[in-house]
Amino acid sequence: MAGDSAFAEPTETVERTLIELCPDLVAVCREGMLAFINRAGANLLGAPGPTALESPPFLALIDAPDRAAAAELLARGDGICVIRLLRLDGIPVSVNLRAARLSDGAVALHARDLTDQSEAAAVLRDLRLAEQVFETSLEGIMVLDAGLLVTAVNPAASEITGYAADDMLGTTPPFLDETTMGAESYRQLWNTAAETGRWQGEVWSVRKDEQPFAARFGVSAVMGIDGRPAQYVVTFSDITRSKTDEDRIRRQATYDQLTNLPNRSLFLDRLGQAVHLAERSRQMVGLMFIDLDGFKLVNDTLGHHVGDMLLQETGRRLLLCVRAGDTVARLGGDEFTVLMPNLGNYQNAPRVAQRILDSLRKPFDLSGKEAFVSCSIGITVFPDDADSADTMLKNADAAMYRAKEMGKANYQFFTSDMNDAVAERLTIKNGLSKALERNELMLWFQPKLDLASGTVTGVEALLRWQAAELGMVSPAKFIPVMEETGLIGQVGEWVLNAACRQYRDWAREGLGHLRVAVNLSVRQLRQPGFVAMVEGMIADAGIPADAIELEITESMIMNDTEHAVATLKQLSAMGVKLAMDDFGTGYSSLSYLKRFPVDSIKIDGSFIRDIATDTDDHEIIRTIITMGHSLRRRIVAEGVETREQAVILKRLGCDEIQGYLLSPPVPASQIKATLGRPLPFPSP
Ligand code: C2E
Ligand code: MG
Ligand code: MG
C-alpha cells in the first residue's frame, strides 16, 4: 500500500472498492494530515465527497475537548477510543475510533458512528416498549386495515369483549359493527375517522357471552403515503361500571327508592309536560292526589319495615289501577299521585278513583302481618278546574283534604269553594295552638236514652271550640288537624279530665246515673301509660270507674289488634266501659268485634237516616242488632232525628238511642233541662 498523493491510497481496486462499500469511516492519516478518507467517512463529516475535505489536519476534524485523546491515539498509532468528530457544519458526532499503524508510519483509522447505533437501539427499545404496552395495556387495542378488518389485537381486547384473538383477526370486530352501533352511527364513526384522523365515543355493545357492556372507543387513522388511511388503531376501555353508576344516579334523582315509582321531581316534570301538550291538543289532563288513611298507625305500631312494605304494595296496586301512559308517582310519605295525561272523558277519573279505593281497601299481607288502610283521593281536571300545573296541584290537594274531612276512604272532585277551605284549614291550624291556653275549648253533652226503661242513662261528651277568629268550629274540622299536629294528646287529656270532673259535679247534684262517654283519638289509645293516666284521673276525681265510657272506632284498633286488645282489656278490667263508635262505616266485622271487650256498639247515624225508606239499611241494622246481641253487646243508634226512626229501632230491639230527637249536644248546664222532658214517642 504505497503511493504519493494524499487520496491515491489504497490503490488496489478490490481493496478500494471494499473500502468504499464500507458504511463506516475509513481514513489514512500521515504526519497529522488526513491523507485519505472514504465516501462514507466524508459523508459522516457532512461533506458531499472525499474531495471536498482537501486534506486538512486530522485534529481539525475532532471536537475540541476530545483533541488531546485523539492526538494521543494518533501518536501511539494503535488502540481504540470513543471521541467526537466535528462535522463541517459544526455538529459533533460520537464515534468509536480505532487506529492501526501502517508499515510506512502512516496511521489507518476506522470510525463507527455511535449515534446511529444508539438510535437503532432506541428504535428497538421503543418497539419493545410499544409491544409491551400493547400486550399489557388494560385498554383494548386493535389495529384494523383500510378494509376495517382486524390485523392485530391485544389481550385486553379479549378480556373486555370475551372474543379470543382468533375470533377477531381478519374480521370486522363483532362488538363494533353495524348491528351493535346502528348503521347511521357506524357510518359516521368511520367517516369522521377517515376525514379528521380520529373519532371518540361511548358505545353500548354486547360481549361474546351476550352480556351488554359499555366502552369508550378512540379511533385514530394511520395515514398511508397516498394520504389516505392505511390502518386504524382502535383503543377502548370498559366503562360499564361507571355507565351503570351514572344511570343509577340519574334514576336516583328521578325515582323513589322505596317504590321505584317516579318521585316528586319527575312527576312535576311530567305534569308540566302534560299540561303543555294538552294546551295545544285540547286534551283533558286528570290529576289525583292519594293519601293513605291510617298509614301512620301501621308505621307506628307494626314498625317502619312493615310500613315500607305497605307503601311498596300500595305502589304496585296503584299501577294496576291505571292505564298505560298514566303516571303513578310517590311524592313522599304516604302521598301518591296519579297523572292521566290523556283523560279523554271527565267520567274516567271517578272510575279510576273507585278502582283505587276498592284495591286499597283489601287487606295487606305484609310478610305475615295483616294491615288495613284505605285512602282519600282528591281529583282535579285540566282545563275544567285549573289553567296551569300549579293550580292543578293546589286543587288536587284541597280536594284530597275534603275527602279526608268527608270521613276518609272516598274521592272528591275539586270545587271552587275548596280554596276557601284551604285558607280556613290554615287559620284553624294557627288558632288551635292557642285554643287551650285561651280557654276556648269546652265540652258539650248529648244524652242517650234507654229504650226499654225510657230513661236517660248517659251522655256523650263532644268537644267544642269557640275560636276567636272563626266562631264555633266543628270537631270534624279541627280534630283531624289536632291529630296531624300532635296537639290531640294534650287536648285528649284535657277532655278526659273535664269529663271526670263533670261527672263528679253531676253526681253531687244527684245525677250519678249519667255515665259520661268520651271519644278517643287514634293516638291516645297507643300513648304509653294511657291506662294509668285514665286510672289516675278517675281516682283524682273520686268517681267510680264505670262512670266513664270510652268510645273507640274500628280503624283505631284494626292495625294494632294485639296491643289494642291488651289496652282495652286493662281498661275494661278496671271497670271503665267501652263502646265501638261509628259502627258500619269501617270494616264492620262482627266476628272481629268478638275479640274486643266492648260493652256497646254504636251504629253510625248514616244508617239510621234512611231506616224508614231504605230496606237495605233496615236489614243491616236488624243484622247488627241480632248479631250484637248474640255477642252480648248493647246496641246504640246514633243520629236519631225522627219519631219514626225511634219506633222502628225500638221494634228491632235496639237498646239505646242518641240524636236530635232527644236533644242536640248542649252545654253541661242545660243537661238537666233535657232530662225532665216527656218522651218524644210512646213509652213501652
Ligand atoms: P261522634 O262520636 O260520632 O259524635 C256524634 C256526632 O253526631 C256529633 O257530632 C253529634 O253532634 C252529631 N249528632 C248527634 N245527634 C245527631 C243527629 O240527630 N243528627 C245528626 N246529623 N248529627 C247528630 P260532632 O259533635 O260534630 O262531633 C263529630 C265527631 O268529632 C264525633 O263523632 C267524634 O268522632 C269527634 N269528637 C267529638 N268530640 C271529640 C273529642 O273530645 N275527642 C275526640 N277524639 N273526638 C271527638
Ligand atoms: Mg262518639
Ligand atoms: Mg259516632
Side-chain angles (χ1 to χ4, degrees), residues 443 446 460-464 474-476 479 482-483 488 491-492 495 518-522 524 551 553 581-582 602 604 638-641 658-661 663-665:
L443 286 184
Q446 187 177 33
E460 178 175 6
L462 293 159
L463 190 55
R464 292 293 177 264
S474 156
I479 284 176
M482 287 203 298
E483 280 173 348
I488 192 73
V491 171
V495 170
V518 172
N519 291 284
L520 288 189
S521 158
V522 191
Q524 284 174 283
E551 294 193 2
T553 58
D581 203 356
D582 301 342
K602 297 182 79 175
D604 193 70
E638 291 186 286
V640 179
E641 295 181 354
Q658 178 185 345
Y660 296 164
L661 177 66
S663 162

Side-chain angles (χ1 to χ4, degrees), residues 43-175:
N43 290 348
L44 179 63
L45 289 165
T51 46
L53 287 167
E54 286 183 356
S55 159
F58 178 68
L59 288 183
L61 299 173
I62 309 293
D63 195 22
D66 290 350
R67 277 187 193 147
E72 204 193 307
L73 185 71
L74 267 190
R76 217 172 44 238
D78 182 32
I80 179 167
C81 75
V82 174
I83 54 149
R84 272 162 297 179
L85 299 177
L86 199 60
R87 285 164 50 98
L88 297 185
D89 55 13
I91 295 172
V93 196
S94 289
V95 295
N96 204 359
L97 185 67
R98 284 166 192 273
R101 185 155 322 265
L102 300 171
S103 52
D104 64 350
V107 179
L109 297 164
H110 168 263
R112 172 160 292 172
D113 184 352
L114 285 180
T115 46
D116 243 13
Q117 275 183 14
S118 54
E119 245 168 46
V123 168
L124 207 67
R125 262 205 315 279
D126 285 355
L127 268 176
R128 288 219 187 96
L129 192 66
E131 199 176 324
Q132 207 172 345
V133 169
F134 187 77
E135 288 299 316
T136 59
S137 166
L138 292 179
E139 289 212 319
I141 306 175
M142 300 184 290
V143 181
L144 272 57
D145 64 16
L148 304 181
L149 303 179
V150 177
T151 57
V153 60
N154 75 343
S158 299
E159 182 83 16
I160 295 172
T161 64
Y163 287 98
D166 282 347
D167 295 334
M168 294 184 264
L169 287 170
T171 68
T172 303
F175 49 88

Side-chain angles (χ1 to χ4, degrees), residues 544-565:
D546 68 359
I548 297 297
E549 181 169 59
L550 298 178
E551 294 193 2
I552 54 168
T553 58
E554 289 168 287
S555 59
M556 288 165 61
I557 49 182
M558 286 307 264
N559 283 322
D560 188 18
T561 321
E562 274 166 47
H563 180 245
V565 169

